[in-house]
Amino acid sequence: MKNVDSIGHVTGKSVYLDDIPVQKGTLHAIVFGSPVGHGKIKNIDYSEAQKLPGVTKIITFKDITGENQIGGIIQDEPLFAEEELHFYGQPIALIVAKDAFTARKAKALIKIDVEEYEVVTDPREAFKRGDLLFPSRSFQMGIVEEAWRACEYIFEGVADIGGQEHLYIETQGSYAYPMDNGSIKIHSSTQGPTAVQKTAARVLGLPMHRIEVDVARLGGAFGGKEDQASGFATMVALAAYVMEKPVKITLDRPDDMQMTGKRHPYSADYKIGLSKDLKIVAYQTTLYQNGGAASDLSPAIMERTLFHSTNSYYIPNTHVTVHSCKTNLPPNTAFRGFGAPQGVFTIESAIAHAADELNIPAYKIQEINFIQDGQEFQYGQIAKNVNNKATHEQALSRYDFASIEKEAADYNQKHIDKKRGVSIMPVCFGISFTKTPMNQARSLVHIYQDGSVGISTGAIEMGQGVNTKIIQVAASVLSIGTDKIKVESTNTTRVANTSPTAASTGADLNGHATRLACEVLINRLKQSAAESLNYKIDEVDIKNEYVYRNGEKTGVHWNELVESAFLKRVCLTENGHYATPKIHFDKTKEKGHPFAYHVYGTAITQVTVDCIRGTYAFDKVQIVHDFGKSMNPTIDFGQVEGALVQGMGWMTMEELAFHPNGKLASDSLSTYKIPDIYAVPKSVDIKALETEGAELGILKSKAVGEPPFLYGIGAFFAIRNAVKKFNRFYKPAFRAPYTHEKTLMDLYAKKSHNATTPQSEATESVK
Ligand code: LUZ
Ligand code: MOS
């Protein structure tokens, strides 16, 4: 099935937040944010700004009718700063005016006097000072301290990993207006309508039923709107509530980049021990997560880092710790992969380090350590239907890896100024929210009298095609054409208490809920047909919009069937509820069975580095991916391509730079580079692993949103391998992103970096 939104998108008719027709008298808002990264407000003078014609009101913490608190997991984040300032751009006030232009002019007239404090942006520095956002956590298996004695080889080092701007095409935005009887309706560009509802209710001091949140679709989110949409939605909801006027906000790009959190930068220490035959016997790592100024989703992201810290491998002795460090950056947040990519980068660095020292390619270590059925992940889940080895072996054979290696070797022999690097990147990603209670969803399905169907779920369409998949699920269970089915906007009054559309679970959770509702409806219709036609119930079937009896098509069409059921007062509406079975997790032991299943895959990346300039071009990325049984190959292959390129951008060219005062320096597309058509691989080939499909996935498919992001990590190691071919005695640091500048420096570096020095200290010693 084609994506239902494709024509709307191409013709510009799809409605995003900024396309919603606004009510007469709608006011527009912009945020006045902190001018420093850390400090205390001594005085603010709004009087000049207030006097500007067209300025209606400047809303501050003093206007809050409920609690000044938007922290979702830990309540440590005010909506508006009261006195202390913890990051540059931290919201202090909302300027509401007749238009955004006037509001922006008013912003320049606000006078603020601040006492500045020292700014910390480095997580290790924050850790040294004891600045943690919340308690650290560890996963352990076996006894790592004893296992070192059994190791033939032990290597220790450091991995530094950069953050990433989400760069959704549609920036954060929200539109709120008063309804009857003191209620507020909010349109928000959010992945989590319930999070918006709950946060607004808390800040306004209203019960949740007074707040209605409606979402048509988002122009991208990538995790950046899982939590951080709530603050902006709550600001305009508050303004609408206290002013009794419709109020809208749409962030411009620099404000969005400055004020919102990003993927967490991490710095990690690792220690890996191998036996003589290259089995990884022990692995220990401490990761310093750069959390920013408030907790946001960091506790959950920390958890997924722990879960994925051994990537695809079985390691009998592990000890992994994550510290969430409080720094003066905007609170870092969810971003496709949700902490897993940083954990995976770290172990792949440890493996590459070992491979360097043992003078073998990294894949020789990877391939003999894949976790196998019956073995235990370090969090207690027993591996089942593992496809690591299968995707690895198929990638090697279907893409003829032996020739790839040979061609690269020949190329490198022939060229002194250009070198080719090859890497293999295995992926193993757990599917389910790591917090078990979040794995539930509901779907409200109406069959209208004319036989058409309307579905409401908690899923947010953000370009990933979830609405199309939900239609496919309903069409397959009801056995009717997809043109008979429509997915409605996501609205908290139709489907309540929703989990955000996140963790790659949107299609599985909401698809299963839809399936369950449709199964009930189809059984009711069969019952009704059997009664009307005087058949036995088990003789009746409904196929391709017709009633069948004992496999024979009758003349009774779906529309007649529905009409007659309605006249008999059969209920044509059903609410399906799905809760992922089998999953559980005990946080006191850090053991359990948190994931419904895992997604596997292998990517082969080839890059050619220009050793004069330090530039590089990706020749090819070849992937074998475990889709389960894909229910929509066009959508799913698109997700793999998009995730791959997004992951490659993170690993190669996307570099966040901050001024010493904590202000983001790379706050526009001229200074923050994302992959364009020239940076993407010249060729991307994706092949589906042939499998029976996933038992718990929807229609046996597997979730596809996040796992392929991790293929991008292969880009880092491909460049690193090419650099080593040129600068043969040099061992490049594990510091992502591997920009052209860093590549150039590494090509001509004389002395290998000290593998145990984190980036922050390395930079210090250079200074
Ligand atoms: N969000 C969340 C996520 O709240 N829990 C998760 O486990 C998760 N995983 C990936 C992306 N978002
Ligand atoms: Mo996401 S990082 O699944 O919102």
Side-chain angles (χ1 to χ4, degrees):
M1 182 187 176
K2 259 196 197 139
N3 190 321
V4 279
D5 277 337
S6 48
I7 291 175
H9 287 1
V10 174
T11 56
K13 285 183 181 152
S14 299
V15 172
Y16 295 85
L17 186 95
D18 215 26
D19 303 314
I20 297 170
V22 295
Q23 298 176 14
K24 195 171 162 197
T26 291
L27 299 168
H28 298 264
I30 67 159
V31 178
F32 172 65
S34 168
V36 299
H38 194 191
K40 197 171 131 186
I41 300 173
K42 282 163 59 186
N43 188 47
I44 306 189
D45 180 0
Y46 293 112
S47 57
E48 290 299 312
Q50 200 91 65
K51 274 189 255 162
L52 189 76
V55 172
T56 324
K57 191 170 168 61
I58 297 178
I59 305 249
T60 70
F61 73 92
K62 291 182 184 147
D63 296 292
I64 289 172
T65 47
E67 255 184 275
N68 186 14
Q69 183 51 252
I70 60 168
I73 300 177
I74 296 171
Q75 312 216 335
D76 64 355
E77 189 178 357
L79 178 69
F80 292 121
E82 299 188 10
E83 193 175 28
E84 285 176 33
L85 299 170
H86 291 281
F87 63 92
Y88 186 97
Q90 180 180 353
I92 297 172
L94 189 76
I95 307 163
V96 185
K98 69 179 180 14
D99 54 47
F101 184 72
T102 305
R104 198 162 287 284
K105 276 210 287 196
K107 182 169 144 180
L109 299 174
I110 297 174
K111 295 194 193 77
I112 180 164
D113 187 11
V114 178
E115 184 181 335
E116 280 194 64
Y117 300 151
E118 194 183 351
V119 168
V120 175
T121 56
D122 177 60
R124 288 184 190 253
E125 175 61 27
F127 182 77
K128 269 190 219 144
R129 298 174 180 219
D131 290 340
L132 296 181
L133 286 164
F134 43 85
S136 307
R137 266 173 86 181
S138 296
F139 279 12
Q140 290 190 58
M141 187 157 83
I143 303 172
V144 84
E145 290 76 10
E146 286 176 17
W148 301 121
R149 266 182 276 137
C151 296
E152 177 80 14
Y153 314 108
I154 296 175
F155 306 105
E156 287 183 67
V158 168
D160 282 301
I161 308 145
Q164 187 176 26
E165 161 61 37
H166 300 86
L167 223 90
Y168 23 66
I169 293 179
E170 180 195 35
T171 55
Q172 303 273 1
S174 202
Y175 177 39
Y177 43 86
M179 304 278 282
D180 282 0
N181 301 326
S183 298
I184 297 285
K185 181 162 177 175
I186 307 173
H187 298 271
S188 166
S189 180
T190 178
Q191 289 169 255
T194 295
V196 167
Q197 182 190 22
K198 212 168 146 182
T199 308
R202 190 203 286 154
V203 173
L204 272 57
L206 294 176
M208 282 170 75
H209 71 198
R210 294 275 168 192
I211 310 275
E212 173 184 351
V213 182
D214 193 271
V215 184
R217 62 166 64 71
L218 317 187
F222 309 114
K225 298 169 182 172
E226 181 173 339
D227 208 57
Q228 303 221 338
S230 300
F232 300 105
T234 300
M235 288 177 206
V236 288
L238 177 68
Y241 185 60
V242 300
M243 298 169 72
E244 296 185 50
K245 287 264 172 20
V247 183
K248 185 177 159 179
I249 189 168
T250 303
L251 267 60
D252 68 6
R253 183 66 63 185
D255 276 358
D256 190 294
M257 290 178 85
Q258 285 287 357
M259 289 178 180
T260 64
K262 318 204 179 301
R263 181 186 299 285
H264 296 70
Y266 277 61
S267 185
D269 298 321
Y270 61 79
K271 181 173 175 185
I272 190 168
L274 298 94
S275 67
K276 206 171 171 128
D277 58 359
L278 303 180
K279 287 268 188 218
I280 305 173
V281 178
Y283 179 61
Q284 184 166 9
T285 175
T286 303
L287 298 110
Y288 301 88
Q289 178 192 58
N290 189 338
S295 297
D296 192 277
L297 292 164
S298 294
I301 292 160
M302 162 193 278
E303 192 166 70
R304 199 172 272 280
T305 301
L306 290 165
F307 280 117
H308 292 81
S309 56
T310 56
N311 192 18
S312 311
Y313 313 111
Y314 172 68
I315 306 176
N317 302 283
T318 65
H319 189 170
V320 183
T321 302
V322 185
H323 303 297
S324 189
C325 308
K326 183 176 178 184
T327 61
N328 299 113
L329 295 180
N332 285 317
T333 193
F335 194 146
R336 206 173 193 171
F338 205 72
Q342 296 93 326
V344 168
F345 180 83
T346 304
I347 190 160
E348 291 301 328
S349 295
I351 290 172
H353 183 158
D356 279 0
E357 298 298 330
L358 300 170
N359 208 13
I360 51 170
Y363 70 84
K364 296 277 185 207
I365 299 175
Q366 292 169 338
E367 65 190 7
I368 63 166
N369 285 288
F370 288 138
I371 193 163
Q372 288 166 29
D373 280 1
Q375 288 178 330
E376 190 178 332
F377 285 99
Q378 58 173 339
Y379 43 86
Q381 183 157 345
I382 305 299
K384 199 179 151 208
N385 301 323
V386 168
N387 288 329
N388 271 315
K389 215 176 160 63
T391 59
H392 178 79
E393 283 169 1
Q394 290 198 17
L396 298 199
S397 63
R398 290 166 80 178
Y399 293 117
D400 192 5
F401 185 70
S403 305
I404 293 173
E405 265 194 318
K406 182 163 182 315
E407 277 168 32
D410 290 349
Y411 183 92
N412 290 337
Q413 188 108 62
K414 281 198 205 110
H415 296 80
I416 50 165
D417 62 332
K418 286 192 174 132
K419 294 293 172 190
R420 188 161 292 167
V422 181
S423 74
I424 291 184
M425 183 61 213
V427 169
C428 166
F429 196 91
I431 300 300
S432 290
F433 286 98
T434 57
K435 186 174 169 190
T436 303
M438 290 175 78
N439 296 285
Q440 54 169 314
R442 280 151 299 279
S443 174
L444 180 67
V445 181
H446 300 312
I447 302 176
Y448 293 99
Q449 290 167 59
D450 67 352
S452 66
V453 174
I455 303 177
S456 295
T457 73
I460 297 292
E461 175 61 56
M462 50 189 129
Q464 86 281 42
V466 70
N467 284 357
T468 304
K469 289 185 173 181
I470 284 168
I471 291 173
Q472 287 182 278
V473 170
S476 95
V477 178
L478 300 175
S479 201
I480 58 176
T482 53
D483 55 338
K484 276 198 152 43
I485 306 167
K486 179 182 172 226
V487 174
E488 310 290 353
S489 69
T490 314
N491 185 301
T492 52
T493 69
R494 274 178 270 120
V495 179
N497 307 322
T498 61
S499 289
T501 299
S504 308
T505 62
D508 273 357
L509 295 178
N510 296 283
H512 274 302
T514 302
R515 171 183 65 79
L516 291 166
C518 291
E519 282 171 1
V520 171
L521 289 167
I522 201 78
N523 283 332
R524 248 181 240 154
L525 287 172
K526 278 185 198 171
Q527 186 78 45
S528 170
E531 280 167 19
S532 311
L533 300 165
N534 235 335
Y535 303 156
K536 291 203 193 80
I537 176 78
D538 50 9
E539 294 173 349
V540 181
D541 211 352
I542 295 166
K543 274 197 309 205
N544 300 327
E545 300 188 2
Y546 277 91
V547 177
Y548 279 67
R549 182 188 195 191
N550 291 325
E552 299 270 325
K553 185 173 174 178
T554 69
V556 183
H557 186 257
W558 168 265
N559 292 2
E560 293 167 63
L561 174 66
V562 168
E563 176 69 20
S564 93
F566 173 72
L567 293 175
K568 288 192 318 197
R569 297 183 289 175
V570 171
C571 175
L572 296 176
T573 288
E574 184 63 21
N575 183 42
H577 171 82
Y578 179 73
T580 312
K582 296 184 188 172
I583 52 170
H584 56 87
F585 195 72
D586 180 350
K587 260 178 126 168
T588 62
K589 299 195 178 71
E590 301 287 26
K591 300 281 179 194
H593 186 103
F595 298 120
Y597 57 88
H598 290 78
V599 173
Y600 303 91
T602 301
I604 303 170
T605 303
Q606 300 180 55
V607 69
T608 303
V609 172
D610 178 332
C611 302
I612 308 292
R613 296 172 182 83
T615 54
Y616 45 72
F618 290 94
D619 306 296
K620 249 182 211 169
V621 179
Q622 294 161 305
I623 293 169
V624 174
H625 184 83
D626 172 16
F627 293 94
K629 277 202 180 322
S630 174
M631 61 186 286
N632 195 315
T634 312
I635 286 175
D636 287 351
F637 277 65
Q639 284 291 305
V640 176
E641 288 172 0
L644 167 71
V645 170
Q646 195 168 37
M648 292 177 76
W650 172 55
M651 282 282 111
T652 59
M653 60 200 299
E654 297 183 38
E655 192 170 34
L656 297 165
F658 295 93
H659 292 290
N661 73 347
K663 180 179 196 278
L664 181 69
S666 50
D667 68 347
S668 78
L669 290 179
S670 63
T671 48
Y672 186 79
K673 295 292 191 183
I674 67 158
D676 60 12
I677 195 69
Y678 300 106
V680 298
K682 290 177 192 148
S683 140
V684 175
D685 196 289
I686 301 158
K687 295 190 198 302
L689 178 77
E690 279 149 29
T691 73
E692 287 305 299
E695 180 202 346
L696 293 179
I698 184 67
L699 301 182
K700 301 219 148 191
S701 68
K702 281 193 176 182
V704 73
E706 295 174 288
F709 180 87
L710 289 98
Y711 294 138
I713 296 171
F716 179 94
F717 291 97
I719 297 169
R720 192 174 178 279
N721 287 340
V723 168
K724 286 195 300 168
K725 296 284 182 223
F726 182 79
N727 195 352
R728 288 184 25 233
F729 303 103
Y730 182 69
K731 289 168 187 133
F734 299 104
R735 281 175 196 151
Y738 219 144
T739 57
H740 290 173
E741 291 91 332
K742 273 200 213 139
T743 306
L744 185 64
M745 310 251 268
D746 278 358
L747 286 166
Y748 296 97
K750 294 239 164 53
K751 190 165 151 279
S752 279
H753 78 96
N754 177 354
T756 55
T757 311
Q759 173 144 32
S760 48
E761 286 162 34
T763 330
E764 269 315 302
S765 62
V766 170
K767 276 187 206 154

